[in-house]
């Protein structure tokens, strides 16, 4: 379990002291001016195909992807669960093929952060 230092007795713990797990990873990344999760849009110049799918950066087993058409905005936003075990997943509206990257963000490779008071 990834957790912070023990809070000082008799006072309410800070976010730095009480955050654990993925919340702590997000907090530590934010202190370094980074984002733990990649929440930026994928800009598609071409439509993903079975042979050449749109690669989605992820180190997880699955990721939610919002598709509004490829390569332009040709339909309303649809959410697709792209799963590593599927190989590729397609948007049911436009047919764009998505695949998770082989290597994604490494949460264990964040810089060390020294605690500080707020």
């Amino acid at each position: 379990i990834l957790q912070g230092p023990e809070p000082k007795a008799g006072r309410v713990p800070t976010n730095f002291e009480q955050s654990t797990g993925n919340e702590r990873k997000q907090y530590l990344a934010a202190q370094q001016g980074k984002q733990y999760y990649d929440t930026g849009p994928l800009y598609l110049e071409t439509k993903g195909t079975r042979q050449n799918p749109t690669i989605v950066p992820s180190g997880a087993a699955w990721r939610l992807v919002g598709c509004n058409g490829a390569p332009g905005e040709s339909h309303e936003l649809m959410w697709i669960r792209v799963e590593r075990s599927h190989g590729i997943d397609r948007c049911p509206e436009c047919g764009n093929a998505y695949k998770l990257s082989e290597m994604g963000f490494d949460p264990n490779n964040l810089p060390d952060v020294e605690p500080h008071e707020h």
Side-chain angles (χ1 to χ4, degrees), residues 3-99:
Q3 60 189 44
E6 186 173 335
K8 295 177 184 173
R11 65 183 264 274
V12 177
T14 65
N15 284 344
F16 181 79
E17 294 167 334
Q18 72 178 356
S19 61
T20 61
N22 282 340
E23 180 182 4
R24 182 156 187 80
K25 292 174 185 177
Q26 286 178 305
Y27 185 77
L28 293 175
Q31 284 188 324
Q32 293 293 316
K34 299 178 180 179
Q35 280 189 297
Y36 179 69
Y37 292 108
D38 179 6
T39 58
L42 287 173
Y43 294 102
L44 305 179
E45 295 179 10
T46 60
K47 188 175 189 174
T49 64
R50 183 173 291 281
Q51 293 77 23
N52 189 23
T54 299
I55 303 299
V56 178
S58 180
W62 61 272
R63 183 167 177 189
L64 285 178
V65 174
C67 180
N68 59 354
E73 296 181 12
S74 60
H75 61 75
E76 293 295 317
L77 179 65
M78 297 192 72
W79 292 101
I80 304 153
R81 183 173 163 144
V82 180
E83 298 190 33
R84 192 170 304 286
S85 63
H86 292 171
I88 67 162
D89 286 286
R90 289 189 176 274
C91 173
E93 188 70 27
C94 68
N96 190 42
Y98 294 95
K99 178 181 180 179

